[in-house]
Amino acid sequence: MAEAGRATLRVCALYPDLMNIYADRGNLLMLERRCEWRSIGFEVSAAGLGEGVEPDAHDLFYLGGGQDRDQRLCALDLVETKRDALHAAAGRGALVLGVCGGYQLLGHRYALGDEEIPGLGLVDLETIRSDGARLIGNVAIEVDLDGDGRRRVLAGFENHAGHTHLGPAERPLGRVLKGHGNTGSSGLEGVRRGSVIGTYLHGPLLPKNAWFADWLIAAALGLDALDALDDRFEDAAHAEARRAAGV
Ligand code: GLN
């Protein structure tokens, strides 16, 4: 186990200038600050269009949200220049976190009518754009990230036209307490397969759920626990996000 004082969280931000529609920079900043406050090192490098990624050089790969147009651009590039590296990274246990549009690209495909945007195939799911109303609003889900029965709440905001269907063996990130989640009717939200996590919660995910930022930092660095911080503001932000969702 690494020692917190000497560890460095190495983050790779995938397409930070294209896939950043809802506070995705804020999510990275949240990781940075919470590392800094504990004297954990923090490095972030960007991988944009045409740039390869080194599977062993990062502990956490972050893919944020995007409009269909930007998703299209990034999807083709992801598949061509980064897919193998991301499979290798996930295979050795590096965290891969996809939010909203980024979440959709973790699966096999995002279908929009006759068009199909390819995905990374890191998890068994597909997303189909619905002609119906977008799934928008405050959302709260219940998660058990460590599989020990300890249920915690993630609260945030969702806004998506895509409906995401998990394959039969795939597990969701959590169960919807309030809001729409993957399809608006399945009661499931996001996906979790080992170190690969996808969620529709953005707006902004980590500042509203500081405990989850810490869970990611600890998991990425292989630490059992992190030093406690003065989380008065963070707890208030979490409580407010829950209140907005009605939980
Ligand atoms: N374009 C996707 C959808 O509408 C994702 C949007 C987003 O990232 N907010 O389903």
Side-chain angles (χ1 to χ4, degrees), residues 139-142 174-182 186-189:
V139 53
I141 66 172
E142 184 177 66
R175 302 203 160 265
V176 176
L177 297 172
K178 280 287 165 68
H180 302 290
N182 284 343
S186 65
L188 309 179
E189 204 293 314

Side-chain angles (χ1 to χ4, degrees), residues 5 22 31 33 45 79 86 89 92 109 130 143 145 153 156 162 185 192 207 228 234 237 239:
Y22 294 108
L31 293 172
R33 291 290 152 78
S45 22
V79 168
L86 289 171
R92 68 166 183 83
R109 64 191 71 85
S130 137
V143 301
L145 292 178
V153 172
S185 59
R192 165 87 189 279
E234 290 78 359

